[in-house]
Amino acid sequence: MRRDKKNKHKLQGQFLPLPYVMIDSLAWQSLSSNSIKVYIRLMRKCNGHNDDNLSLTYNEMKAALAPATLRKCLTELVEKGFIDLVRQGGLQKQCNIFGKSDRWKDFGKESFKNETLEKWNFGGFAEVWNKRKGRQNSEVSTENEAL
């Protein structure tokens, strides 16, 4: 009988720690609610040994978010320093691989290392598409500047 009382307050199963330092940070406070959902879903896959091998596909999130919303949320999480892109997926049926990041601690400071969409593009098909069309990178960049 005594054992049951001791185990009553013990946590069962896995859990995701969200430190107060992170929740109170400027970066976390500026996240959208959908981005927080995506972060929690992504971190649920983390087991302590795969911090740089986390993926979240559109099929996994299709019940909760539209693909465009998921893309915006992942972009926001990268830009604010919660995750980093480890491997870019694309036409070869590979998903994007993300890793945990502590860059959020410097968000809003001069020492913050800013990652943007220019360093990685979702889908990863721009280069393949341009090769098929016979375009050079300089042609594409001047075309984009004209828009």
Side-chain angles (χ1 to χ4, degrees):
M1 192 62 91
R2 179 93 173 135
R3 279 189 192 172
D4 293 338
K5 289 183 181 180
K6 279 187 177 180
N7 292 332
K8 181 179 178 182
H9 298 291
K10 212 172 194 182
L11 292 175
Q12 299 295 319
Q14 294 179 326
F15 61 94
L16 171 68
L18 292 174
Y20 289 147
V21 175
M22 182 169 63
I23 293 173
D24 294 337
S25 71
L26 178 64
W28 185 268
Q29 296 296 322
S30 65
L31 285 176
S32 67
S33 59
N34 283 334
S35 293
I36 292 171
K37 287 181 197 175
V38 169
Y39 179 78
I40 290 172
R41 183 66 75 98
L42 190 62
M43 290 303 125
R44 282 185 64 193
K45 295 182 173 197
C46 186
N47 62 15
H49 302 290
N50 64 342
D51 290 350
D52 289 331
N53 191 16
L54 305 169
S55 65
L56 191 62
T57 64
Y58 293 121
N59 285 336
E60 291 176 87
M61 292 296 292
K62 70 181 175 185
L65 298 172
T69 306
L70 177 60
R71 184 171 42 247
K72 287 177 188 175
C73 292
L74 290 171
T75 300
E76 185 178 14
L77 288 169
V78 168
E79 288 175 350
K80 297 198 176 158
F82 289 97
I83 60 174
D84 287 324
L85 184 72
V86 175
R87 184 192 76 198
Q88 183 175 340
L91 288 178
Q92 292 77 27
K93 301 281 185 186
Q94 293 180 344
C95 62
N96 291 328
I97 302 290
F98 298 98
K100 287 173 67 173
S101 174
D102 287 336
R103 289 185 303 112
W104 59 268
K105 293 177 182 177
D106 294 329
F107 184 77
K109 298 178 184 174
E110 287 183 22
S111 61
F112 180 69
K113 294 178 186 173
N114 195 8
E115 297 283 332
T116 63
L117 276 177
E118 295 169 359
K119 292 192 177 186
W120 55 292
N121 83 35
F122 280 98
F125 59 86
E127 289 180 27
V128 175
W129 179 259
N130 290 329
K131 284 179 185 176
R132 287 184 186 171
K133 295 290 183 179
R135 296 180 182 172
Q136 298 295 325
N137 287 340
S138 59
E139 292 175 26
V140 175
S141 62
T142 56
E143 213 174 88
N144 288 338
E145 290 172 5
L147 296 175

